[in-house]
Amino acid sequence: MSSNWHDDAKRVAAGIRRRVLEHTINNNGGYLSQACSSAEILAALYTGIMNLGKPSTPLIPKPFPGVPGPYNKEYFTGGEFNGPHTPEYDRFILSPSQYALVLYACLIETGRMDESGLKQFNKDGSSVEMIGAEHSPGMEVTNGSLGQALSQAAGIALAKKMKKEAGHIWVFMSDGELQIGQTWEAFQFMVYHRLDNMTVYVDVNGYQCDGKMTSVMSIEPAEKRFESFGCTVTRINGHDLNAIEAAAAAPHTDRPLVVLCDTNPCEGLPLLKIKAPKFHYLRMKNEEEHRLFAEALNNMKGLPGGTAGGI
Amino acid sequence: MKTAMRNTYGETLARLGAVNKNIVVLDADLAKSTQTAKFGKAFPDRFFDMGIAEADMICTAAGLAASGMNPFASTFAMFASGRAWEQVRNSVAYPNLPVKIVVTHAGISVGEDGPTHQACEDIAIMRAIPNMRVVAPADSIETESLITYLTDEYAGPIYVRLSRMNTEVMFKPGHKFEIGKGVIMKEGTDVTIISTGIILRQAVGAGELLKKAGISAEVIHMPSIKPIDGDMIIKSAQKTKKVVTIEEHNIIGGLGSAVAELLCENFPVKMKRLGMMDTFAESGTPDTLFEKYNLTDRALAKAAEEILKNR
């Protein structure tokens, strides 16, 4: 891979943090720590690792098409933001759609979604939902209920194997999902049926809705759990692009590959530490906090990739 | 002649699998009981025993359906409708995916397996899900027609409720299952009896008992609980002004409730619902349990006579 790819990923990662921070300030709320922890993972997947087709121009999200059903012929998924579904292209499945805002920012930074799309975020009648679903940009299965998307991704991977299609299935998961029984049912299936056309990146940021995971329900030792399930597993620094890239290339014949990415929920935004351990959804408590985060945003805009001038 | 509708299910799948190469069958460690093993033997490459992992089974089936396959997922009624309810709701019904959930061992006629296996709430909780269809055929002939319809014509989510026990064949060869349609087994003018599933035998028997007592009962079989045959039920109620329902299900939320909802809003008449009277049951032979919980032709005839007295 060329170094250009890493430069691009760095720019995208910085853009993800900046856009999500700006959005969080403007809306006085957002899933900000998730952007800080996963920015490099998503940036690397989209800029250098996955083999996705690309829309010819950045897409403007369509309005919510109405609930799916037998009489709704207008229904669509957000899969088109990830390019066409052809046998040879890869597929990307975001499992925790609490990361929706992060993914939207990533789609903008990688030229897949028009930046005006973020203005529709969480608005009535918009498909750019706060906790996205399969009609939201970049999503194509029901992923809001944690633990269900991995099984669906395994079904998609299985279908690809049965049809002898080449494309790989990339899944992004949160560490909280490792607490869910169904997750392990799915890995059991993926291993038994040798779904080596699947790679799962897990954002191990160590926090969940109720706080620090080690104070709620520990998932450690995570890599040993995956090993004993028969996955090929590697554990890396989830902010290190070299490590993220190397992990994707790890041989995993006959086995699914799991990449545990240790990440920092405040990476790139040290100020966020003042909210510890309440990282799940950020709200500014008062004017002073608001001012501090606005200042941090201004500093970010001066950094490489920080596209001064904003959205 | 008695046959088991679950045998017919397995045989029909195995036969249709030769023609329809998109059929994929999943089971959760009950393939010999649900009879999907028959398909598995014929098409091992398209049969997946998921182990005791119903949640994963339902979502994997969703992934397969989203990839253009035609998945059937089978286990006992208790585990598909109970353990995997949220997976059915979010991963199958919401996106309106064509996953055919075919369950066996429904109701108290699972018998000696006892209360943990006697699903008498499944119609209620499945029909409460938008996009879901809920059907319960009466015998092997209707089951074969239904499975053929699901394979060749219907492309949406559906819950099919089959029974464990061998049951009388109620229909002549050539009988066709139609979604949203009931079957008038016997025309009558004094009282309407409506049943679903294998309880049809008792309904027909009650019709004969009533005839001997000089009462003209109209006996309707309603295999399609959702969508229900509103026209047929309303017309019959307009004629008889009295309706008795019977089902192998709690009287809360099942066929009787569906009929009551329909008639209350369209043509209110005197009604009596027979079924499990908001109680669990116990281990026992099906006939002992039918007797104890008043799911017999005699109990039904008696209920019809009583409703006629209290006009």
Side-chain angles (χ1 to χ4, degrees):
Chain A
M1 296 277 178
S2 68
S3 60
N4 285 343
W5 172 81
H6 282 223
D7 290 345
D8 205 23
K10 276 179 202 160
R11 179 192 60 75
V12 169
I16 288 172
R17 287 194 180 88
R18 182 181 55 76
R19 284 184 193 275
V20 173
L21 174 58
E22 182 159 60
H23 187 89
T24 302
I25 292 168
N26 291 342
N27 291 268
N28 191 27
Y31 290 100
L32 183 57
S33 72
Q34 290 84 347
C36 292
S37 64
S38 70
E40 280 76 21
I41 305 168
L42 284 171
L45 283 170
Y46 268 92
T47 51
I49 294 174
M50 298 192 290
N51 178 31
L52 299 179
K54 195 170 173 181
S56 50
T57 54
L59 300 170
I60 296 170
K62 288 181 270 198
F64 178 65
V67 295
Y71 308 106
N72 184 353
K73 304 296 178 203
E74 308 298 313
Y75 199 71
F76 52 79
T77 76
E80 64 174 340
F81 289 81
N82 291 333
H85 284 178
T86 60
E88 61 281 6
Y89 275 133
D90 294 350
R91 302 271 291 273
F92 174 70
I93 305 292
L94 176 81
S95 179
S97 51
Q98 288 73 7
Y99 281 72
L101 178 56
V102 191
L103 180 61
Y104 302 149
C106 180
L107 292 173
I108 292 172
E109 290 296 330
T110 53
R112 293 169 178 275
M113 180 161 93
D114 191 88
E115 64 178 4
S116 67
L118 212 49
K119 294 203 176 80
Q120 300 176 31
F121 181 85
N122 213 17
K123 295 272 192 298
D124 290 351
S126 158
S127 62
V128 191
E129 294 178 10
M130 180 164 86
I131 295 180
E134 79 292 349
H135 43 258
S136 301
M139 304 180 208
E140 54 182 280
V141 302
T142 311
N143 49 358
S145 179
L146 294 179
Q148 294 192 21
L150 180 65
S151 300
Q152 294 182 65
I156 292 169
L158 179 66
K160 271 199 169 287
K161 285 253 179 192
M162 293 172 81
K163 295 175 184 173
K164 302 195 185 337
E165 295 180 358
H168 201 80
I169 309 296
W170 303 89
V171 182
F172 177 94
M173 286 182 73
S174 60
D175 48 0
E177 289 179 283
L178 304 188
Q179 295 168 338
I180 300 170
Q182 188 181 342
T183 295
W184 299 101
E185 292 182 2
F187 277 114
Q188 169 180 277
F189 174 82
M190 289 154 58
V191 168
Y192 184 71
H193 287 286
R194 302 179 180 193
L195 296 183
D196 54 9
N197 58 345
M198 293 187 79
T199 299
V200 181
Y201 275 80
V202 187
D203 180 8
V204 188
N205 63 19
Y207 284 83
Q208 61 187 118
C209 199
D210 277 353
K212 199 168 165 59
M213 287 183 73
T214 49
S215 72
V216 178
M217 181 57 64
S218 173
I219 52 146
E220 299 298 346
E223 66 270 47
K224 287 201 176 120
R225 293 181 184 190
F226 280 109
E227 270 165 24
S228 64
F229 262 69
C231 301
T232 297
V233 58
T234 173
R235 190 158 191 159
I236 60 167
N237 171 355
H239 300 295
D240 178 349
L241 290 173
N242 289 319
I244 296 169
E245 181 181 8
H252 58 106
T253 310
D254 286 345
R255 291 166 174 231
L257 172 63
V258 177
V259 184
L260 294 169
C261 304
D262 285 313
T263 61
N264 170 10
C266 307
E267 183 77 14
L269 185 62
L271 169 67
L272 191 51
K273 285 179 193 155
I274 62 171
K275 303 298 280 188
K278 293 182 178 170
F279 287 136
H280 181 69
Y281 185 87
L282 184 84
R283 263 180 229 290
M284 316 290 166
K285 209 167 54 187
N286 50 40
E287 277 302 307
E288 174 61 9
E289 272 191 17
H290 206 273
R291 190 189 63 75
L292 286 169
F293 279 99
E295 197 176 286
L297 177 64
N298 269 334
N299 293 339
M300 258 186 204
K301 283 178 180 166
L303 294 174
T307 323
I311 304 167
Chain B
M1 188 183 73
K2 285 192 172 183
T3 58
M5 59 208 330
R6 57 195 168 107
N7 285 346
T8 308
Y9 168 50
E11 285 160 9
T12 307
L13 268 187
R15 181 168 54 75
L16 297 174
V19 186
N20 189 328
K21 305 287 185 196
N22 276 343
I23 296 179
V24 184
V25 178
L26 285 69
D27 205 299
D29 195 36
L30 291 167
K32 289 190 182 70
S33 300
T34 64
Q35 298 287 331
T36 59
K38 289 189 166 75
F39 180 92
K41 198 175 168 200
F43 306 103
D45 295 345
R46 288 188 273 144
F47 176 76
F48 299 92
D49 197 325
M50 309 296 291
I52 310 163
E54 294 80 5
D56 184 49
M57 173 174 76
I58 294 296
C59 293
T60 304
L64 287 163
S67 302
M69 310 302 270
N70 190 356
F72 283 70
S74 285
T75 176
F76 289 177
M78 181 62 75
F79 309 123
S81 70
R83 189 176 296 187
W85 186 87
E86 198 231 312
Q87 283 76 11
V88 173
R89 194 265 187 201
N90 277 326
S91 287
V92 173
Y94 176 73
N96 197 40
L97 287 171
V99 176
K100 285 67 185 252
I101 301 163
V102 182
V103 303
T104 65
H105 294 59
I108 56 170
S109 61
V110 63
E112 295 89 332
D113 285 11
T116 56
H117 287 54
Q118 294 167 344
C120 291
E121 307 82 13
D122 54 330
I123 295 174
I125 58 180
M126 282 293 137
R127 85 181 176 94
I129 304 175
N131 287 343
M132 278 303 283
R133 297 182 170 205
V134 179
V135 299
D139 73 355
S140 289
I141 286 174
E142 195 167 57
T143 300
E144 182 176 351
S145 170
L146 164 64
I147 299 303
T148 308
Y149 162 75
L150 295 184
T151 308
D152 298 346
E153 293 177 52
Y154 180 60
I158 192 164
Y159 180 80
V160 179
R161 189 182 205 238
L162 304 181
S163 303
R164 172 197 205 174
M165 65 189 290
N166 293 344
T167 53
E168 291 292 337
V169 174
M170 304 300 295
F171 294 107
K172 293 194 177 74
H175 165 75
K176 290 273 177 258
F177 167 87
E178 281 186 77
I179 192 79
K181 297 288 178 199
V183 183
I184 296 179
M185 304 297 291
K186 172 183 171 303
E187 291 193 1
T189 50
D190 294 332
V191 60
T192 301
I193 290 171
I194 308 174
S195 76
T196 191
I198 63 168
I199 297 296
L200 176 58
R201 178 175 60 90
Q202 284 89 319
V204 169
E208 285 163 12
L209 290 174
L210 289 166
K211 191 177 173 186
K212 282 177 197 157
I215 295 166
S216 168
E218 180 144 293
V219 179
I220 292 177
H221 167 52
M222 192 54 62
S224 185
I225 302 159
K226 183 187 178 187
I228 202 162
D229 192 340
D231 287 347
M232 180 181 284
I233 293 170
I234 291 166
K235 266 185 201 147
S236 186
Q238 285 168 340
K239 183 165 60 171
T240 65
K241 313 284 195 300
K242 280 135 326 238
V243 173
V244 184
T245 61
I246 183 166
E247 62 197 302
E248 194 188 356
H249 186 276
N250 197 346
I251 55 154
I252 296 174
L255 171 75
S257 295
V259 170
E261 289 158 12
L262 175 82
L263 291 177
C264 264
E265 292 188 347
N266 293 282
F267 190 78
V269 295
K270 191 102 181 157
M271 263 193 83
K272 174 72 184 171
R273 293 168 297 148
L274 294 191
M276 300 302 289
M277 304 308 279
D278 199 21
T279 177
F280 294 113
E282 65 273 26
S283 174
T285 64
D287 284 339
T288 304
L289 296 176
F290 283 153
E291 195 71 41
K292 174 167 180 183
Y293 291 99
N294 290 321
L295 296 175
T296 62
D297 50 1
R298 283 171 289 106
L300 178 55
K302 195 175 155 211
E305 287 183 53
E306 277 169 14
I307 203 173
L308 280 163
K309 275 182 210 157
N310 304 326
R311 56 181 75 187

